[in-house]
Amino acid sequence: MKKLIPVYVRVPVIFFSVMMALEYFIDSGDRPAFIKFPMVSVFLFVFLFLLIAIEITVSAIDNITYHLLTEEQKKMLEETVHVSIKDSVWFQKLMKLLTKSEPLESETSILLHHDYDGIKELDNTLPPWWVYLFYGTIIFAGIYMVRFDIMGADNQEMELKKEMAQAKIDVAEYMKTAPDLMDEKSVTLLTDPAELAIGKSIFTTNCVACHRADGGGQIGPNLTDDHWILGGGIKNVFHTITNGGRDGKGMISWKATLKPKDIQHVASYVLSLQGTHPKDPKAPDGEVWVDDIKPVTVAAVTAADIAPIKK
């Protein structure tokens, strides 16, 4: 039997269409679904096997049916098979429906009485698809005018601005809870004993060679006093550990070794060492660092700061 699409095109198209649909609907992260989930591979293999089996079965049925036909039926079938698509009955009916054009033998009935140097004009009706498309544009224009000019809906520029603003809010919220995307702007000081214990473990593994186990300083500076070379506070300490100290003589950068969450832990632990008294601490390095953001207390307000109230 005649088929519009050959089997060597039909089978791959169907198979890869199903495969793409599975990849779209199955959330497999950064790996293809058929690799991450073995059952998907099994399903695709069985599906391909069934496709090939169906094609072989249909082909066998066609061969058996052909041999059961009479000679006259075989001749009619061969004539039908060799008919081009444009000459087929269904194609002619489709074109008639889409264009409503008159056949050549009936053109005299729509011939207009115009003659331009031997060129005559036919009064053909407009193709239905063109007419309906034109009506559709009129309806679309009316809806567009009412929605945007009368009701004042957001245009594309305003929608973009709102989406960009919402995206910034979403990114900021995500950054607050995404430890691997933490930086010195979003890092916060940890004070929970369990969190500080994690920081102590990281400090013991990576930092004691330069700062000693008690933080008193050896090659590196003393971490227990209030002097800081590159600034104190959780944000500055996090930045220093992440990017390293001074060029040529400071601490190395740890961002390739430790994750941001680990750096937060160890930075918080380092700050917890302030005020402790290690044995034989190293002399202070840097300058005394004072946090710019300090809560205002009642004791800080003196009588001289209170202006007299005039009645």
Side-chain angles (χ1 to χ4, degrees), residues 248-288:
K249 57 181 179 179
M251 182 178 62
I252 64 170
S253 170
W254 288 92
K255 61 184 177 182
T257 306
L258 301 177
K259 294 182 179 180
K261 188 65 176 178
D262 295 334
I263 297 177
Q264 181 192 27
H265 279 108
V266 71
S268 298
Y269 174 72
V270 166
L271 292 174
S272 72
L273 295 175
Q274 287 192 286
T276 59
H277 302 285
K279 182 180 179 180
D280 299 327
K282 187 177 180 180
D285 289 321
E287 300 178 354
V288 175

Side-chain angles (χ1 to χ4, degrees), residues 118-137:
I119 301 175
K120 296 182 180 181
E121 183 180 359
L122 297 176
D123 188 19
N124 277 313
T125 57
L126 289 171
W129 66 267
W130 191 96
V131 175
Y132 296 145
L133 183 62
F134 178 70
Y135 290 155
T137 58

Side-chain angles (χ1 to χ4, degrees), residues 27-44:
D27 185 8
S28 58
D30 57 348
R31 292 192 297 169
F34 69 92
I35 294 178
K36 187 171 184 179
F37 304 108
M39 285 304 299
V40 176
S41 300
V42 173
F43 171 80
L44 290 174

Side-chain angles (χ1 to χ4, degrees), residues 143-161:
I143 297 174
Y144 188 92
M145 182 182 69
V146 172
R147 176 174 172 78
F148 293 99
D149 292 341
I150 298 177
M151 300 179 66
D154 293 339
N155 56 22
Q156 292 180 338
E157 182 180 3
M158 183 58 65
E159 288 179 352
L160 175 62
K161 290 181 179 179

Side-chain angles (χ1 to χ4, degrees), residues 17 23 33 48 69 118 123 143 185 228:
S17 298
E23 291 291 342
L48 180 60
L69 297 177
D123 188 19
I143 297 174
K185 295 180 180 179
W228 295 90

Side-chain angles (χ1 to χ4, degrees), residues 225-253:
D225 56 29
D226 55 358
H227 288 69
W228 295 90
I229 299 173
L230 297 175
I234 185 62
K235 297 185 183 298
N236 288 323
V237 176
F238 183 94
H239 177 83
T240 303
I241 298 174
T242 302
N243 299 289
R246 295 167 294 176
D247 293 338
K249 57 181 179 179
M251 182 178 62
I252 64 170
S253 170

